[in-house]
Amino acid sequence: MYEYVKGKAMWANITSPNTRFQPHKYGLTVLTDADTASKLEGIGLNQVKDRAGQAKYDEPAFTFSKRATKNDGEANPAPKLVNVDGESIDVSVGNGSDVTVKIKPYTGKYGTFAELIAVKVSNLIEYTEQASDNEEF
């Protein structure tokens, strides 16, 4: 069963996985509204918390991910990334972009999680790397 979550994208790694930590994962955090948060908590998903156990963002936030490789080491395909017309796009989604995320909740021995299946971008704020301020050195 799939669920759909509307909100603002944060820390998106959709077309290429985050390789900073093991296992490498595609993923993003979605800032959403209270009604959606209640629905997601009702199926067992947890909001993003800081180290002290407090809400990390002002709005309810949930993180969804998908491993970049299967258990046998074979590569997993990246989640679909589409525009409002359903056409595939290959862009870096920046913080604050309006998105609808398709997820597939599942329960494992460590709790309930949601696999990232697809992301539809309705208002893109394209991510660009900041210019280095080290020019004067």
Side-chain angles (χ1 to χ4, degrees):
M1 171 175 89
Y2 296 111
E3 297 285 338
Y4 296 87
V5 179
K6 281 187 172 186
K8 300 265 186 209
M10 300 291 289
W11 309 111
N13 291 286
I14 302 165
T15 56
S16 60
N18 179 348
T19 57
R20 188 170 175 194
F21 304 103
Q22 288 287 346
H24 299 167
K25 292 182 181 182
Y26 300 100
L28 83 159
T29 297
V30 178
L31 304 179
T32 191
D33 59 67
D35 290 340
T36 303
S38 294
K39 182 175 115 179
L40 295 174
E41 288 172 331
I43 60 173
L45 297 176
N46 294 317
Q47 287 191 43
V48 177
K49 307 277 186 200
D50 62 17
R51 291 179 187 217
Q54 302 300 313
K56 189 169 183 176
Y57 300 97
D58 292 335
E59 298 116 277
F62 294 85
T63 297
F64 310 114
S65 64
K66 177 180 184 178
R67 287 180 57 146
T69 57
K70 299 177 184 175
N71 289 338
D72 64 4
E74 183 182 336
N76 258 335
K80 276 186 153 181
L81 179 62
V82 297
N83 63 17
V84 290
D85 298 323
E87 300 164 337
S88 291
I89 54 176
D90 185 14
V91 296
S92 295
V93 177
N95 292 348
S97 296
D98 293 320
V99 296
T100 301
V101 180
K102 181 179 182 180
I103 58 170
K104 183 178 181 181
Y106 65 94
T107 301
K109 64 181 179 178
Y110 297 110
T112 301
F113 305 94
E115 180 181 357
L116 179 61
I117 304 297
V119 178
K120 180 188 283 187
V121 180
S122 55
N123 180 28
L124 176 66
I125 297 172
E126 194 163 354
Y127 173 77
T128 55
E129 290 197 33
Q130 298 294 321
S132 174
D133 288 341
N134 293 334
E135 302 279 331
E136 67 270 6
F137 290 108

